[in-house]
Every structure is written in structure tokens, then in C-alpha cells.
Amino acid sequence: RQQDVVNVTFVRANGEKIKSSGKVGDSLLDVVVNNNVDLDGFGACEGTLTCSTCHLIFKEADYEKLPEKPGDEELDMLDLAYELTDTSRLGCQITLTKDMDGLEVQVPATINDARAA
Ligand code: FES
């Protein structure tokens, strides 16, 4: 249904914008996978919280509005991500709500697969 569609834009470090969309209830990882968004190495652990390759940087206002705060496991994994910011989250842990329609998230320039460490 149209009303379930949530539009998401991924912004690469070079400024390039990749428009995409998912459905309410999808994770941001699902959006990347289902749309074949071309982000090299993104989502390597398929959402099992063991890689940090799904690190995304939110605008502060969007970050504050996220319905769920990061859990301990997510925070531990974020510690291993490069270019960590105060508004960083793991995309596989963010579930889309209708409120998030039009969301723009920054993709860090470097993706760190913590499993390789
Ligand atoms: Fe690996 Fe999110 S996909 S931690």
C-alpha cells in the first residue's frame, strides 16, 4: 500500500544522493538490500550485530526522533565503526516508521567490518 512507503535517501561521503524507499517495518538494512543500493560492504553480517558495516550518520533532529535508543550491543558495535559521530546508528537496528518518510542519512566514507579485526 502506498501509505506504507517510506522514502529514504542515502548520501555518500562525496555528496552523491541515492534515493530509495522501504516499507514501514523494514530496517534500513532491508532498504539497502531490497533496492540493491550500491554501498560496498554494507550490511556484511546481515543484521546480526557483529559487523558495524551498516553504520549510518543521522541528522541531529532525525536522530532525536528515532523511536528506539541504541542497545548495549549496538553501542559496542558502533565503537568499532570508523568516523563515529554523536548521531551514528547501525542501519540494521533502525526500523522504518511512517514518520521517517523523507529521511536522509549519511553513509560514512569508510566501512569497517569488525569481524575482520
Ligand atoms: Fe552488521 Fe548491522 S549489518 S551490524
Side-chain angles (χ1 to χ4, degrees), residues 16 83 85 97:
E16 182 194 344
E83 301 170 59
T85 73
T97 63

Side-chain angles (χ1 to χ4, degrees), residues 28-44:
L28 283 173
L29 173 62
D30 293 330
V31 174
V32 171
V33 171
N34 294 342
N35 295 288
N36 291 315
V37 177
D38 183 20
L39 299 176
D40 204 28
F42 191 97

Side-chain angles (χ1 to χ4, degrees), residues 4-80:
D4 289 340
V5 174
V6 181
N7 294 293
V8 180
T9 301
F10 296 91
V11 185
R12 289 184 197 269
N14 67 6
E16 182 194 344
K17 293 189 176 187
I18 307 165
K19 288 193 188 301
S20 182
S21 66
K23 295 191 302 292
V24 170
D26 283 350
S27 71
L28 283 173
L29 173 62
D30 293 330
V31 174
V32 171
V33 171
N34 294 342
N35 295 288
N36 291 315
V37 177
D38 183 20
L39 299 176
D40 204 28
F42 191 97
C45 80
E46 298 173 353
T48 56
L49 268 180
T50 55
C51 75
S52 87
T53 63
C54 61
H55 173 206
L56 292 170
I57 300 165
F58 289 74
K59 293 179 186 164
E60 193 163 344
D62 293 330
Y63 181 86
E64 299 298 335
K65 277 189 292 188
L66 291 173
E68 281 167 45
K69 300 293 161 218
D72 287 343
E73 279 181 281
E74 181 179 347
L75 291 173
D76 285 349
M77 203 43 64
L78 275 170
D79 275 341
L80 303 173

Side-chain angles (χ1 to χ4, degrees), residues 88-99:
S88 289
R89 291 293 301 264
L90 292 179
C92 67
Q93 301 303 304
I94 306 298
T95 305
L96 295 181
T97 63
K98 193 60 206 165
D99 279 1

